[in-house]
Amino acid sequence: MVLFLFVIGLELKPSNLWDMRRGIFGLGLAQVLVCGVVLAAAPLAFGLSWQASLVIGLGLALSSTAQVMQTLDESGERLAPHGRAAFAILLFQDLAIVPLLLLVQLMAPGSAEPSLVESLTNAGIAIAAILLLIIVGRYLLDPMFSLLAKTRLPEIMTASALGVVIAAALIMDIAGMSYAMGAFLAGVLLAESSYRHEIEANIEPFRGLFLGLFFMAVGISLDLRVVADNWLIVLIAVPALMALKGVTIYAVARAGKLTHPTSVKTSLALAQHGEFGFVLFSSAASLAVLPLETASILIAIITFSMALSPMVERLRPLLIRSEAPDTIDEDFSDAGGSVLIIGFGRVGQIVAQPLLATGVSVTIIDNDAERVREARRFGSRVHFGDGTRRDVLRAAGAASADLIAICSNCHTQTSAMIRLIRHEFPQARLIARTYDRIHAIQVADLGLHAEVRETFESAILLGGHALAALGQPQERIDELLLDLRQRDAERLREQARIAAAAAGREDAINKIRPEPLRRAAKRPAIPE
């Protein structure tokens, strides 16, 4: 699970994580607190103390990060609205495990509340550990992997990647936080590294292996004697608690202004109980907050809820009857054109038209299922697929394409796709739609054959129309617009060089195209 969260962190830039702060500390906090109170009502009604009931409620409020994220990955729904909401909640749950363990210690019979000095010391150690990881990730990791890459020994890169994960996890553990949180932070800090895809590829086999061992450990932890002795309680409690948790999460999601379909999918994804409950209930039993037999029953309930989770997901069609499926089968049987277009929105549709008109063999992919269905209704063959996934690009024919055009409207995804394609499919010429000037500077050294900012060319032509309306001759307009394009190209290249030098990426300066935007000597005449 540690390796799994490291890989998740690799796919999240710090800026993206900051953008998710409202979901993490808003939706995530509300889910844990509300579900904790609701799920604590049942044990309190059956005579358990309020301390034990609160621990049970909060422990059952947690969901399985490993299982949910694996399911979202397999279905390609991590970037869907419910996938992002589920991930934000899971991330807060991972953060909450440390305060919950502290709460159990405070509730233990005979335990004394920590002094102010002890509390400040513990908080200071945790903050210092996080700052240490940030400093190491910012200033040491990228140079280290750059040095290791020169050895051209993949074994060293793999061992180093595993070492980074383990070291980050141990630092967080020493500071009193979870292994998973340390690995996640290490992944986030490496998200902007040029070696991100190489590290992810090296970690992938180990992630799958250890994730499989994790689920085996979940099964091994089940005490069959306890299940046999309390089979009726387990039989009733598992579906009842999952249903109660699912309804509560749905209510929290709706209160957070998520749509009905998104709320339903989020609640179904998180209805099971999570692996951190094993840790919490075992700690509570060892500190006499919970009876040992009660903790064993709760662990059995968690295990069976995880086993039932795939069946719960099948309730979607019953709860969202009016909505068409969000995904389409990734069928690339007829893919393999000489040009691959990623994104079939406003820009992608226009880019495809001249190519198709000249008889060029084009393959188009888009990760919006509704857009794919709409295109098919109008006779366009668009494949459903996520352009940030290496396997999807390979299936779509990226390895044999002469040209790849990225027309995504998300600049973070565009940057990720450029890096991935340049690393995996270097034979293809690569053109891209960039968001603005800053984005164009950020990708200037990534080997693009050409890039066009979203509004630049339209603003240039609109300026030409303004000159024509004022009576300027067409020859003068063409001359002015060409000069403007060329001067803008020179400024853009110089700004990219300055940005690369400021970031200490001297090697990137030589990769910036000498004439990054000088595409045409003359534009078509502006109609009168």
Side-chain angles (χ1 to χ4, degrees):
M1 197 177 69
V2 166
L3 291 173
F4 191 79
L5 282 173
F6 176 73
V7 174
I8 292 173
L10 280 176
E11 299 176 6
L12 270 180
K13 292 184 178 181
S15 57
N16 295 344
L17 194 60
W18 177 252
D19 291 340
M20 294 175 61
R21 64 190 184 280
R22 180 173 296 179
I24 296 171
F25 296 102
L27 193 61
L29 175 62
Q31 183 273 325
V32 171
L33 293 180
V34 176
C35 283
V37 172
V38 171
L39 295 174
L44 189 64
F46 280 94
L48 270 71
S49 66
W50 71 267
Q51 294 94 335
S53 299
L54 183 60
V55 170
I56 291 173
L58 292 172
L60 294 178
L62 305 178
S63 302
S64 174
T65 301
Q67 187 169 22
V68 174
M69 295 310 300
Q70 181 74 8
T71 302
L72 291 173
D73 271 351
E74 291 174 352
S75 61
E77 295 177 335
R78 186 191 293 185
L79 298 178
H82 70 282
R84 293 195 296 269
F87 177 64
I89 292 172
L90 290 169
L91 189 54
F92 181 84
Q93 291 178 2
D94 290 342
L95 289 169
I97 186 62
V98 176
L100 291 180
L101 289 172
L102 178 61
L103 180 65
V104 170
Q105 293 177 4
L106 293 176
M107 289 182 173
S111 65
E113 292 189 6
S115 65
L116 178 61
V117 174
E118 291 176 341
S119 300
L120 291 176
T121 301
N122 293 334
I125 291 173
I127 294 172
I130 293 173
L131 290 176
L132 176 62
L133 279 183
I134 292 174
I135 293 171
V136 171
R138 176 67 178 85
Y139 296 105
L140 296 182
L141 289 185
D142 210 49
M144 181 189 78
F145 281 109
S146 176
L147 182 64
L148 294 174
K150 295 178 181 178
T151 65
R152 299 187 181 278
L153 294 175
E155 296 84 359
I156 292 181
M157 291 288 286
T158 302
S160 301
L162 288 171
V164 167
V165 179
I166 294 170
L170 288 176
I171 289 173
M172 285 291 101
D173 181 62
I174 292 171
M177 303 183 75
S178 68
Y179 289 120
M181 184 51 55
F184 176 78
L185 285 175
V188 170
L189 293 172
L190 279 169
E192 294 183 342
S193 168
S194 55
Y195 302 96
R196 177 171 71 89
H197 296 295
E198 181 72 19
I199 296 169
E200 185 177 357
N202 291 336
I203 288 288
E204 188 69 28
F206 296 94
R207 187 194 82 168
L209 174 65
F210 285 117
L211 193 61
L213 290 174
F214 164 76
F215 285 114
M216 286 182 62
V218 170
I220 292 172
S221 67
L222 185 63
D223 190 338
L224 295 179
R225 181 190 58 80
V226 172
V227 175
D229 293 342
N230 302 275
W231 66 270
L232 185 58
I233 295 176
V234 174
L235 183 65
I236 296 173
V238 171
L241 291 173
M242 290 182 72
L244 185 59
K245 183 178 180 182
V247 170
T248 306
I249 293 175
Y250 174 83
V252 170
R254 291 293 283 164
K257 298 182 179 180
L258 298 184
T259 64
H260 169 69
T262 300
S263 301
V264 169
K265 294 173 188 176
T266 304
S267 63
L268 293 178
L270 300 175
Q272 83 290 119
H273 310 297
E275 57 275 347
F276 280 129
F278 297 149
V279 179
L280 191 66
F281 295 144
S282 298
S283 176
S286 65
L287 294 172
V289 177
L290 285 178
L292 186 59
E293 185 175 1
T294 301
S296 299
I297 294 173
L298 291 169
I299 289 173
I301 290 172
I302 293 174
T303 304
F304 281 111
S305 75
M306 294 172 71
L308 288 176
S309 186
M311 298 178 63
V312 172
E313 286 285 337
R314 297 182 180 181
L315 297 175
R316 276 193 195 181
L318 299 177
L319 301 174
I320 317 175
R321 297 186 181 182
S322 61
E323 185 186 63
D326 277 343
T327 58
I328 301 175
D329 291 338
E330 295 177 348
D331 178 15
F332 298 102
S333 56
D334 59 345
S338 59
V339 175
L340 172 62
I341 296 178
I342 304 172
F344 199 60
R346 295 173 298 162
V347 174
Q349 293 170 22
I350 297 173
V351 170
Q353 289 178 21
L355 295 170
L356 295 171
T358 55
V360 176
S361 176
V362 178
T363 298
I364 305 169
I365 65 173
D366 196 287
N367 64 352
D368 187 323
E370 182 57 36
R371 185 178 296 153
V372 172
R373 284 190 290 268
E374 190 69 23
R376 290 179 181 177
R377 279 196 286 269
F378 286 94
S380 299
R381 177 56 169 146
V382 180
H383 302 270
F384 178 79
D386 185 354
T388 61
R389 288 171 50 192
R390 184 187 299 106
D391 55 335
V392 169
L393 292 174
R394 192 173 298 280
S400 59
D402 298 325
L403 171 70
I404 299 177
I406 301 176
C407 303
S408 168
N409 63 355
C410 177
H411 65 281
T412 55
Q413 290 185 4
T414 296
S415 299
M417 284 187 277
I418 292 172
R419 292 186 176 92
L420 175 61
I421 292 169
R422 268 289 145 257
H423 184 269
E424 297 292 330
F425 313 106
Q427 89 292 339
R429 290 189 173 190
L430 184 59
I431 63 176
R433 162 195 184 181
T434 52
Y435 177 69
D436 55 13
R437 191 174 196 84
I438 295 175
H439 188 210
I441 292 171
Q442 290 172 346
V443 301
D445 62 323
L446 298 183
L448 285 171
H449 181 69
E451 58 82 19
V452 178
R453 279 167 277 162
E454 289 184 356
T455 57
F456 181 74
E457 285 296 326
S458 58
I460 289 284
L461 292 177
L462 194 59
H465 281 289
L467 291 173
L470 294 174
Q472 290 288 334
Q474 186 63 51
E475 293 76 11
R476 178 59 176 160
I477 294 173
D478 291 340
E479 180 184 349
L480 288 171
L481 297 190
L482 178 59
D483 180 65
L484 179 59
R485 287 189 179 93
Q486 292 178 347
R487 285 191 290 108
D488 181 80
E490 292 167 1
R491 286 197 303 269
L492 188 67
R493 180 175 182 271
E494 185 59 29
Q495 288 171 332
R497 289 173 60 89
I498 293 172
R505 297 183 295 117
E506 299 296 335
D507 59 323
I509 295 177
N510 297 326
K511 298 177 183 178
I512 298 172
R513 298 189 312 280
E515 298 178 353
L517 291 177
R518 195 172 298 178
R519 289 181 289 273
K522 188 173 182 180
R523 298 296 174 192
I526 299 173
E528 294 184 358

